[in-house]
Structures are given as C-alpha cells and as structure tokens.
Amino acid sequence: MNQISTLPVDIKGKPFKRPGFVIVLLVGAFIAILNQTVLVIALPKIMEDLNVTANNAQWLITAFMLINGIMIPVSAFLLNQIASRNLFLLAMGCFAIGTVVCAISPTFQLLLIGRMIQAVGSGVMLPLMQTLMFMIFPPDRRGEAMGLVGIVIAFSPAIGPTLSGWIVDSYHWHYLFYLILPITVIDMILAIYFLKNVIQLTKPKLDILSVLLSSIGLGTLLYGIGIGGDKGWGSPIVWISCGIGLIALLLFSLRQFKLKEPILELRVFKSKGFTITTVIVSIIFMTMIGSEILLPIYTQKIHGYSALQSGLVLLPGALVLGLISPIAGKIFDMYGIRKLSIVGMVILTLGTIPFLFLKQDTSIWWIVTAYSLRMLGMGLVMMPLATAGINALPQALISHGTAANNTVRQIFASLGSAIIVGVMSTSVSQYISHHGMNQAPHLLFDATIKGLNNGFLAAFILTILAFIFCFFIKQPVKDNAQ
C-alpha cells in the first residue's frame, strides 16, 4: 500500500505525518490534567502564605472544576466554529495567561482569578485533543490512539501530587506555575508547525440561551455536589444548588433537541454503544478519583507519610496504567471491546477488594501492589471503552460525542468524590459518636480506618455496577464512519 494513502489529510486534502501532531496534543493535555491535581498538596502552604481559611482555599480547586465543566459542552460548538490549530492556540494561550497570573499572584483573589482563566483553556483543550486524535486515526487504529491518551490520563494525576509535594517541601508553591509555563509556551510554538486543520467547519449559529442554561446547570450542579461533603447532603443550599442545576440541564437538553444547530448534539445518546460505554467509563473514573483522595488520607494519617511520600505510593500504579494503556489499545483494535472489558473489570474488582480490609499495620507494599492491580484493570478498560463508544458514532458527531463524554465524566467525577469521601466522613463521625470521645487514644485511628474501609466499599459497589454494565456491550461495536 502506498504510504501516502495511509497518512491523515487536512481539510485541503494534503497528507501530513502524525507524530508531531500527536505529541503537541498529548503535551497540551498532559499539562492541562496535571494542573488539575498539582495544587491539592500545596493548599496548606497556600493557606498559610496567603492567610486564608480551608474553605476559601478549596475554591482554588472547586472554581477550576466549575469553569472547566462549563467550558466542555461549549467546546463542541467551538470545534465547528474555529479552525483546529487556531482553537488549540487560543485554548493554550488562555491557559498560559492564567498560569502567568497564578505564578505572580501576591493575593488569594488574584490566584483564584488565574485558576479560573486556566480552566477556560483546559475545558476546551481536553475534548479538542480527543476529537482531533479520532480524526487523524482510522477506526481500526483508534484504540492505539486512545491508548496514548491513556498514558497522559494515567501519569498526570499521579505525578501531580508527587511533583507538588517535592516543590512545596523544597521551594515555594509559586514554582508550580513557573514549571508549567515554559512547557505551555514550547507546546504552542510546536503547534504552529505541526498542527493541521482537520475539521471541516460548519459555522453553527450560537444559541445564547443554550450557553446560559448549560453554564447555570453545570455550574450549580457541580457546586452543589462539591459542597455536599462539607455542608452535609441535608443542607438546603446543597439541595437548592443541585435542584437548580438539574432543572437548567433538563431545559438545556430539551432545547438542544428542538434546535436545528444545537450547541451540543445530545442525539449521540441515541446510540446504545456510546451511551453504555460512556456510563461505564464515568463510573470507573468516579472510583479512580475517589481512590486517589482516600489513599493519601490513609498513608498520611495512619502511616504518617509526608506529602511527597504519599504521592510516591501512587506512582507505581500510575506507571502500570501508563504502560498498559497503549497495549490495551492495540488489543482493542485486534479483538474488540467485550471480552477485553470483562477481563479488565475482573482485575479491577479483585484489585479493589484488599482496600475493604485496611488496618493500621497493613503493609505499604501490599497497598502499592493492590493499587497497581487496580490500575492494570483500569488501563485495560477505560480508554478502550471510550474508543468503542466514539466508534459507534458517525464521523460528523465525533466532536459532540467527545464533548458529551467529557461532560458526563466531569459530573460523575465530582459526584464520585463527593459520595466516596462523604461515606468515609459519615462513617468516621458515626464511629466516634457510637464509641464516645472518652475511649482509648487510638479511637481516631480506628474511626479513620473504618471510614476508609467504608469509602472503598462504596468504590467497590460502583465497580461491581460498572462490571455488570459490561455484559450489555454488544460485540463488535460497529463503526458508522466507514
């Protein structure tokens, strides 16, 4: 076969080579995802340096997630409105500006503004990256492509806390942003040379009401979920926020079906293959985020580890996930999704069981091994399932499919962390209430371990639910784009 015929082509029909294109996208996605997790470990130092409370400091994470979530659905509209390379440069440029603001910020207010500007770029970057990866790989190689994406998704959350712990312990939290900035600038320069325009623009009309409804809906829903753990799920503000969010999202959805050119084409959910895989991936993502919150609590509060040491505990699992993702992608390309998803979910389930029985003297190597087993199973299923779902859509709906997939995953991630951490917190409170504070000094240790076990039990139940859904996947998932 002629090599030219196997190359991707831009909108003018001109062939180009993939490697530079792919590297630019993966680096952009890497720093966008890294930026989501890099600040978690640094919050105590920021609170001390800027003299803010924990509730205020948490907004550096919450506000980022809110803006990020709001931008994801809008990305499908932007993908069809602005040329691919220009949109990438705009997103990365916005991210770079936000990073500069964060790096030089002398006050909490300016740091928060910088994080929100970063989130605008990040919210466009991730669905843009996934859409472009699908556009430049043929259907029979999309598993390989998403395996590469899986490496980025694996390494970023694990490297974030480890890197953050080292920088905060050794230097100053401002250096977190000084480190990200030059990588962002270099990636933008490379994008000018390597990125091509591969999406034929349809120039849809912007429906302002749809943007308002999606922004209000996602913003208030994610806010309500985010404060549920702190305020309590019975708090009126939580119910009001979630209620307004759900009503706005319902109105947004109904409007999309009526519009000739919707902001987000929700008809992608008419595809059973896309819907079932999106739900499974979102549930798995819930358990991944929840586990990455619970494990540092265990290592720091029970084993007395530092922030850097806690990050290092997660690193072997991230390496396993990063190594298996491209292999899983190739297996998917050769054999399809159904058997691969079932095998992966069995491994993921087995890797979750040990966390139901954590004790004060549980070996840290046993934790690392079990967590790595979980990541092995996750690597076998997460990106292949996402690929199978997108493959079930026609080419014209790929941008809407990736935006919808990322939106649902963002909501599930927020909900998952709230549920799993909420279960842990409630269990700790009930344990202390039942035994009384006048008991032995190890009471708080026992309560924390009980809460962690119950938190992982919630993750285990969610894993079983995702496992059951895998049996409803039809094999093979047909590709309508061919």
Side-chain angles (χ1 to χ4, degrees):
M1 183 182 291
N2 189 336
Q3 184 182 2
I4 296 295
S5 65
T6 64
L7 295 176
V9 295
D10 61 18
I11 56 175
K12 295 180 179 179
K14 186 177 180 179
F16 62 91
K17 295 181 179 179
R18 287 190 190 90
F21 193 107
V22 170
I23 289 172
V24 168
L25 291 179
L26 293 183
V27 171
F30 175 79
I31 57 177
I33 299 173
L34 178 68
N35 186 69
Q36 293 184 16
T37 58
V38 79
L39 223 60
V40 175
I41 300 295
L43 283 182
K45 291 284 187 180
I46 292 173
M47 289 164 54
E48 179 182 340
D49 192 28
L50 300 181
N51 193 27
V52 294
T53 64
N55 285 336
N56 287 334
Q58 190 61 36
W59 272 102
L60 295 173
I61 309 297
T62 304
F64 185 93
M65 291 185 64
L66 288 178
I67 301 298
N68 196 67
I70 288 169
M71 290 304 299
I72 289 174
V74 180
S75 67
F77 168 81
L78 296 175
L79 276 163
N80 290 287
Q81 191 74 31
I82 303 173
S84 311
R85 181 167 58 185
N86 292 343
L87 182 58
F88 181 90
L89 291 172
L90 282 172
M92 289 296 287
C94 189
F95 184 85
I97 292 170
T99 303
V100 171
V101 173
C102 291
I104 65 173
S105 58
T107 65
F108 174 77
Q109 290 76 11
L110 193 59
L111 179 60
L112 181 59
I113 291 171
R115 288 286 289 173
M116 294 171 73
I117 296 172
Q118 280 185 321
V120 173
S122 176
V124 174
M125 172 57 57
L126 297 180
L128 170 64
M129 177 271 296
Q130 286 186 309
T131 300
L132 294 182
M133 290 288 282
F134 275 104
M135 297 298 290
I136 66 170
F137 281 87
D140 62 348
R141 291 187 60 193
R142 285 176 179 168
E144 174 190 344
M146 295 309 286
L148 296 174
V149 175
I151 296 176
V152 172
I153 292 178
F155 284 153
S156 298
I159 291 175
T162 306
L163 181 65
S164 179
W166 171 64
I167 289 178
V168 169
D169 287 346
S170 306
Y171 303 100
H172 193 275
W173 58 265
H174 278 108
Y175 283 90
L176 294 171
F177 302 103
Y178 285 126
L179 180 67
I180 291 174
L181 183 59
I183 303 174
T184 306
V185 173
I186 291 171
D187 197 44
M188 291 176 67
I189 295 171
L190 292 175
I192 295 173
Y193 290 96
F194 290 113
L195 277 194
K196 309 295 180 183
N197 296 321
V198 295
I199 299 177
Q200 292 286 352
L201 302 181
T202 58
K203 296 287 186 178
K205 182 181 177 182
L206 178 63
D207 183 60
I208 301 297
L209 182 56
S210 292
V211 174
L212 289 174
L213 287 172
S214 68
S215 299
I216 293 170
L218 284 170
T220 53
L221 178 60
L222 292 174
Y223 173 77
I225 293 172
I227 64 173
D230 294 329
K231 302 286 187 181
W233 288 100
S235 171
I237 186 64
V238 173
W239 283 101
I240 291 171
S241 297
C242 290
I244 291 173
L246 290 172
I247 292 171
L249 287 177
L250 176 61
L251 294 174
F252 169 78
S253 302
L254 294 174
R255 184 164 180 80
Q256 300 318 291
F257 285 112
K258 293 179 180 179
L259 290 174
K260 187 176 181 181
E261 295 179 328
I263 293 291
L264 184 64
E265 182 55 87
L266 296 179
R267 291 178 180 85
V268 294
F269 290 108
K270 289 187 176 181
S271 166
K272 292 182 180 178
F274 174 80
T275 301
I276 192 71
T277 54
T278 297
V279 170
I280 296 171
V281 169
S282 298
I283 294 174
I284 293 172
F285 203 68
M286 289 171 75
T287 67
M288 184 176 80
I289 297 297
S291 299
E292 288 174 354
I293 294 174
L294 295 187
L295 268 181
I297 294 175
Y298 174 76
T299 55
Q300 290 181 40
K301 290 194 173 183
I302 305 303
H303 282 269
Y305 279 17
S306 68
L308 176 58
Q309 290 171 323
S310 296
L312 289 173
V313 170
L314 299 178
L315 194 55
L319 292 173
V320 170
L321 180 54
L323 291 172
I324 198 62
S325 290
I327 298 172
K330 289 184 178 293
I331 295 173
F332 165 75
D333 286 337
M334 290 189 291
Y335 301 108
I337 189 60
R338 196 167 193 272
K339 290 182 180 178
L340 178 62
S341 66
I342 291 173
V343 170
M345 288 305 301
V346 168
I347 295 173
L348 178 56
T349 303
L350 292 175
T352 305
I353 292 174
F355 294 100
L356 308 182
F357 307 100
L358 292 178
K359 297 179 181 178
Q360 186 174 345
D361 59 352
T362 301
S363 167
I364 204 66
W365 290 109
W366 176 240
I367 299 295
V368 169
T369 302
Y371 183 71
S372 297
L373 186 63
R374 284 196 86 242
M375 293 298 102
L376 173 63
M378 199 167 288
L380 287 172
V381 296
M382 195 156 64
M383 297 318 295
L385 280 167
T387 306
I390 298 296
N391 277 351
L393 300 174
Q395 191 87 346
L397 290 180
I398 285 180
S399 62
H400 290 277
T402 55
N405 181 286
N406 278 276
T407 301
V408 173
R409 195 170 64 193
Q410 181 86 351
I411 294 172
F412 272 57
S414 300
L415 187 59
S417 60
I419 291 174
I420 292 172
V421 175
V423 168
M424 185 204 74
S425 300
T426 301
S427 299
V428 170
S429 299
Q430 290 179 346
Y431 189 95
I432 292 175
S433 175
H434 178 72
H435 289 81
M437 287 303 293
N438 58 343
Q439 298 295 318
H442 65 266
L443 173 64
L444 188 57
F445 270 72
D446 293 342
T448 302
I449 291 171
K450 180 69 174 178
L452 288 165
N453 288 337
N454 286 340
F456 279 112
L457 176 61
F460 178 75
I461 293 171
L462 289 169
T463 303
I464 293 295
L465 181 63
F467 187 18
I468 293 171
F469 281 144
C470 286
F471 290 95
F472 293 92
I473 299 173
K474 291 185 179 180
Q475 173 70 16
V477 175
K478 294 183 179 181
D479 174 66
N480 299 330
Q482 299 185 71

